[in-house]
Structure formats: C-alpha cells, structure tokens
Amino acid sequence: MASRQQEESWTEEAICPICLDFFTDPVSLECEHNFCRSCITQCYEKKEISSCPECRQEFPERNLRVNRVLANLAEKARKLNLNQKEKESKLYCEEHQEELKLFCETDKKLICVICRDSREHKFHNFLPIKEAVEIYKDGVKSSSDSLTKKKSTVLEMEQQQKQKISQIRKQSISLQSHITSEFTKMHQVLTEKEQRLIRDLREEEEKILKPMEENLCEIQQNLNSIQEKLSKLEKQLEQKDGVTFLKEEASRKRRISDEGKMLSLADGVLPREKFNGPFLYPVWREMLDTINPVEASFTFDPNTAHPELLLSEDLSTVRHTGKRQQLPDNPERFDSCVNVLGSEGFTSGKHSWEVEVGNKTKWDVGVVKESINRKGKITLNPDNGYWAMRLREGNKYWACEEPLKRLYLSVNPRKIRVCLDYEGGKVSFYNPDNKSHIYTFTGTFTEKLYPFFSPCNTAGGKNTEPLKICPRTVTIQEDEGFNPSSK
C-alpha cells in the first residue's frame, strides 16, 4: 500500500499544472516553476506581460530553460502509468488473486492456474483464453448470422403486415364510401317523396280552403252590415220625436224586405287516406326499386353444358347422368368438368338469382368471366375468373379462393342466393331461408360475367338431385344486409 502511495506521489510531480498531463518538453521559469513548453508559450501569447501562471511573478524577459531531469521523470511516469493501466485491465481470480488464463468448458467460466488444479475442476476440460475466444467467436458469429437471417425474415413480415393493414384501411375507406353512397340514394328517394307529398298536401289545402275563405269573406261582410243596422236601430230607439221615429221605422221595414240573401257554411275535407294512410308502402317499394339488385331471369345455356349433364326441357334444372351424350364440341362447352353457365351475362348493374341445391352432397355455384378456360382441368379461383363457393362431403363448405377458405355454416342451406354488384366489384352468397350472409368476394370486373353452376358427379348415387334455378318472384325482406330474394 505504501509503495502504491509513493508511486502516486512522485508521478504527481511529473504533471504540468496547465494541461494536467505528464510533462512534454518541460521548461523552467526564473521562479523555478515548470511547464510544458507548448503550454507556457500559448499562455504567454495571450498576455502582454510575462508572468508565472502559478506564483504570478513577472519577468522582464521570457527565458525558458530546458529541464531534462524533469523530462526523464515524466517519461518514466508515463510508462509506469501505462503499465499500471494494462495491469488493471487484466482480470484476476477473486479466490487466489492470480491472473485468469484458462476457460473451463465444463462450468463455462474463467479460472486461474491454481483453480485448474483444485478439486472443484479436477475432471473438467480447459482451454487457453485465446483459443476459447476463437471457438466461441465462431459460435457467436453463427448466432449472429442466424439472427441476421431471422431479422431479414421478420422485416419482410413487418412489411407484409404493413401492406395488409394498408389494404384493410383502403378497403374500409372504400366500403365507407359505398355505404355513404347507398344511404345517399335512400335519403334522396325519401327526400324527393317527402317533398312531393308535402307539395300535394299544400295543393289540396289551397284547393279546399279557397271557397271556404271566400265564404268567410261574405260572412264577415254580412256581419259588418248587421252591425251597421244595429247601430242605426240603437239611434232610432234614442229618437224622441214620434213623427220622425215612425218615418224611420217605415223606411227600415222596406229595407229589410229588400234583403233576403241566405248564408251557409262552406265545407271541405282533406283526403287523409292519401297523406295519413299506407303511403310508406309505395315509398318503400320505390326505394327498393332504386337500391335492390335486378332479379335476374335466365335459364341454363345448353351450348355450355358438359356432355354428361342433362338439362330439363324448360332449361331450369340440371343433373349429372354419368353418361356422355353425343354433342358438338363447340368452344363454349365444358369438356372435362361437369359445369354449365347461365344463358344471360352481365356487364353492369346489380343482379341476383337463387339456386335450389336441396339435399345434394356436392355442388359449385357462382359467377365466371366470359373468357374462362372451359377445356381440360379447371381450378376455381378469382385469378382464373371464377368467383364461386362449393359444398363437399355433404357438410363442408368452401369459398373458392387461393387457397380454399373453409366456411362454417350453422345450417345446411337448401337454396343459395347469388348477388352480383358489377360496379361495386362484389359477388355475395346468402342463405335465403334464414336470410344469413355466407361469403362475399371483392374484386374488379372488366368483362361480361355469367352465372356458373356445377351439380358435380353423382358420388356413388348420393348426389343425384339436380340443381334448379328458382323462378323469379320478388318479395320484400325487412332484414338488414339482405336484399329482396326469390321465394
């Protein structure tokens, strides 16, 4: 401890009082105080009078004497300080105060030579620190490379997640715009109907009130005339001269005999049934006509039907027979998949139709582009021009996305209602029996779209029921989110 204090004491003598570091090229002033040459020179440059920075003694001349003894002392102090720092940077065993030179692989800890020979580490494996550093650096590098790859993967996932969030937000904005547009249509219909009814009511009011107000004027004129006569009678009663009174009385009776006009009340009734009756019903129907999809009326197109499909005479039902008919292989016909299209296509507007699926165990229903591939194997998804849903194994429903998306329904629908909104880019499926929404595809339509059907194969006699296009009969549905349907 004393040695350490002595070292600190004499090394302090080798420190410049200006820069507080070991002397570099030390010089002495006449007062025998010492400074680095560069330090005292810079100090003098800032002053007109030369003086010592420590004792403030002034000197007429700037005499700087080289102090070689102090220079040697400063160099030794500098080296001693470096050795001390290097020594302090090394780690020592807390138990034996020896430098840590080995790495115990068994305990994964640094040890000294004495520790190695102890009972605690008797059968352990050891490595020199440098060798252990190289080995474990390789492991760290491998972990770093693995984390770098993982980081790249996570960054990509982050970007994809941001894109999906952005897509949802864009879809939300688009749907909000659509909702606003649809309600604007309803508001417009209601506002126009309200203004029309109020205008009709005012016209009826004016028509009825005009003769009544004219009659009121006559009644008021008659009332004024009566009042004037009463005033004259009162004055006549005040007449004191008998002759004058009798003359006025005779004249009065003649005037009364000349006035024989009869008065009556003019009556009128507003047509309450027109303005207080079931006027909401026609308004409702008018609003439905404005916002509802057009109930499509079509049949199956025999030119598109697969040769193993049998259509009814009225082209409203289709079933799979398993027997191939001799039919021309025209470009419109499906030759591999047992599909058929509707006879009518759509390039604008909103349209809907219902298909009776009954107790079938397999079927496909939806909408397709006119340009779809109809030959060979076909995969149903929007990228291939198919917006469809399907049933398999009697109770497994799927949206024909890529990949297929499982739909979980509380009941098996016996009918499927397909709703097409061409401009809105939507194909929706409903169960009309309980008026529940099943699934909606969204996209952009640029060409003619056709109703699409597949009764699928008979599946060993378990799927023999036909698909049937339901007749067009529109009824009003009051439920929210479900358009009027065929019944």
Side-chain angles (χ1 to χ4, degrees):
M1 182 67 70
S3 177
R4 180 65 179 273
Q5 289 177 348
Q6 290 174 356
E7 288 180 0
E8 291 179 355
S9 176
W10 73 262
T11 55
E12 287 178 359
E13 299 297 327
I15 294 177
C16 172
I18 294 178
C19 67
L20 301 178
D21 199 356
F22 294 115
F23 284 110
T24 301
D25 190 13
V27 294
S28 300
L29 304 183
E30 292 179 12
C31 62
E32 296 186 354
H33 286 127
N34 302 295
F35 306 94
C36 296
R37 182 184 292 275
S38 60
C39 292
I40 192 63
T41 301
Q42 291 177 6
C43 185
Y44 278 174
E45 288 176 353
K46 299 176 182 178
K47 298 180 179 180
E48 295 180 359
I49 301 175
S50 300
S51 62
C52 175
E54 280 200 277
C55 66
R56 306 301 179 185
Q57 181 179 345
E58 296 181 359
F59 311 107
E61 295 182 3
R62 298 179 178 180
N63 295 322
L64 304 177
R65 290 177 288 126
V66 176
N67 192 334
R68 298 189 184 279
V69 174
L70 190 57
N72 292 333
L73 182 66
E75 182 62 25
K76 289 180 180 180
R78 184 179 287 106
K79 290 181 180 180
L80 181 63
N81 186 60
L82 290 173
N83 292 335
Q84 185 66 29
K85 287 184 177 179
E86 183 179 351
K87 186 176 180 181
E88 290 176 354
S89 67
K90 295 181 179 179
L91 298 176
Y92 290 85
C93 175
E94 294 181 358
E95 182 179 355
H96 304 110
Q97 302 303 313
E98 291 288 329
E99 185 180 348
L100 299 172
K101 294 183 177 181
L102 298 172
F103 181 74
C104 176
E105 286 193 295
T106 306
D107 289 343
K108 298 292 187 293
K109 63 184 292 188
L110 292 167
I111 63 172
C112 67
V113 176
I114 298 175
C115 290
R116 177 190 61 185
D117 299 329
S118 67
R119 181 179 299 177
E120 181 184 355
H121 298 280
K122 187 173 183 180
F123 300 105
H124 292 182
N125 296 323
F126 310 101
L127 288 172
I129 287 180
K130 287 186 178 180
E131 186 178 340
V133 167
E134 293 300 321
I135 292 173
Y136 282 92
K137 269 189 176 180
D138 290 340
V140 171
K141 186 177 184 304
S142 176
S143 298
S144 176
D145 293 342
S146 176
L147 280 175
T148 300
K149 291 180 181 179
K150 187 174 182 180
K151 178 183 176 182
S152 177
T153 303
V154 173
L155 284 172
E156 185 177 351
M157 288 180 65
E158 179 191 32
Q159 187 62 30
Q160 291 175 353
Q161 188 65 68
K162 286 181 178 179
Q163 290 177 353
K164 288 184 179 297
I165 290 172
S166 177
Q167 290 174 358
I168 292 298
R169 285 176 175 162
K170 288 179 180 178
Q171 289 175 5
S172 177
I173 292 172
S174 176
L175 289 172
Q176 288 179 35
S177 176
H178 173 70
I179 291 169
T180 301
S181 174
E182 292 299 306
F183 274 91
T184 298
K185 293 177 184 177
M186 290 190 285
H187 293 160
Q188 184 176 355
V189 171
L190 290 172
T191 300
E192 290 177 356
K193 190 65 177 178
E194 176 189 14
Q195 293 175 350
R196 191 186 315 153
L197 284 171
I198 291 174
R199 185 173 61 251
D200 292 347
L201 176 60
R202 287 175 178 170
E203 290 176 356
E204 290 286 347
E205 177 189 13
E206 292 175 4
K207 179 180 177 182
I208 294 171
L209 289 182
K210 184 177 181 181
M212 295 176 71
E213 288 173 346
E214 290 176 352
N215 191 57
L216 177 61
C217 288
E218 291 184 5
I219 292 173
Q220 290 173 340
Q221 290 173 1
N222 191 269
L223 183 61
N224 292 335
S225 176
I226 292 173
Q227 185 61 43
E228 289 177 3
K229 291 175 183 179
L230 281 173
S231 298
K232 290 180 180 180
L233 288 175
E234 290 173 356
K235 290 180 179 179
Q236 185 180 350
L237 289 173
E238 294 173 358
Q239 182 60 252
K240 296 181 179 179
D241 181 58
V243 175
T244 302
F245 172 80
L246 291 174
K247 285 182 178 180
E248 291 177 353
E249 177 65 13
S251 174
R252 183 182 68 80
K253 288 184 177 180
R254 284 196 300 274
R255 287 198 301 274
I256 290 175
S257 63
D258 294 337
E259 297 173 358
K261 185 175 181 180
M262 297 294 294
L263 295 176
S264 63
L265 287 175
D267 199 4
V269 179
L270 284 171
R272 292 177 60 85
E273 66 281 355
K274 180 178 179 181
F275 303 102
N276 195 30
F279 67 83
L280 286 178
Y281 181 78
V283 174
W284 192 0
R285 288 310 303 262
E286 186 173 342
M287 187 166 61
L288 288 174
D289 291 341
T290 302
I291 64 174
N292 278 338
V294 176
E295 193 73 14
S297 178
F298 60 85
T299 58
F300 292 118
D301 183 358
N303 292 323
T304 65
H306 184 275
E308 292 183 6
L309 294 181
L310 180 64
L311 305 180
S312 62
E313 290 186 7
D314 61 359
L315 303 178
S316 65
T317 63
V318 59
R319 71 172 68 244
H320 179 246
T321 63
K323 297 180 180 180
R324 197 174 188 88
Q325 304 172 75
Q326 295 298 320
L327 298 173
D329 186 18
N330 47 291
E332 312 97 272
R333 191 179 305 282
F334 292 93
D335 67 350
S336 179
C337 298
V338 287
N339 302 335
V340 62
L341 302 185
S343 59
E344 183 180 354
F346 312 104
T347 56
S348 64
K350 297 179 180 180
H351 309 271
S352 64
W353 57 91
E354 282 185 12
V355 187
E356 185 176 326
V357 296
N359 294 314
K360 290 180 69 61
T361 58
K362 295 173 62 178
W363 48 258
D364 299 333
V365 171
V367 174
V368 299
K369 293 195 299 187
E370 185 176 28
S371 61
I372 55 166
N373 175 35
R374 310 185 190 200
K375 308 299 181 181
K377 185 178 179 180
I378 296 172
T379 301
L380 307 187
N381 60 53
D383 290 341
N384 293 333
Y386 289 80
W387 294 268
M389 67 169 290
R390 64 171 38 168
L391 168 67
R392 293 295 184 270
E393 301 177 30
N395 59 0
K396 294 181 180 179
Y397 297 88
W398 305 83
C400 296
E401 295 274 15
E402 180 58 44
L404 288 169
K405 183 173 183 179
R406 181 73 182 273
L407 305 175
Y408 296 93
L409 309 186
S410 58
V411 296
N412 290 355
R414 293 182 59 81
K415 293 180 181 178
I416 296 295
R417 181 169 184 80
V418 185
C419 295
L420 166 65
D421 181 355
Y422 194 97
E423 285 78 12
K426 293 190 297 184
V427 177
S428 299
F429 299 87
Y430 296 88
N431 178 353
D433 291 331
N434 62 8
K435 295 171 282 188
S436 62
H437 173 256
I438 298 175
Y439 191 73
T440 294
F441 289 91
T442 57
T444 301
F445 306 135
T446 57
E447 62 178 271
K448 183 176 284 191
L449 302 180
Y450 284 87
F452 164 76
F453 311 88
S454 175
C456 297
N457 57 47
T458 54
K462 296 180 180 180
N463 190 40
T464 57
E465 286 191 33
L467 288 180
K468 182 177 181 180
I469 300 175
C470 298
R472 179 181 177 183
T473 305
V474 178
T475 58
I476 298 173
Q477 303 292 333
E478 299 182 37
D479 54 293
E480 183 179 0
F482 184 80
N483 293 320
S485 64
S486 297
K487 292 291 181 183

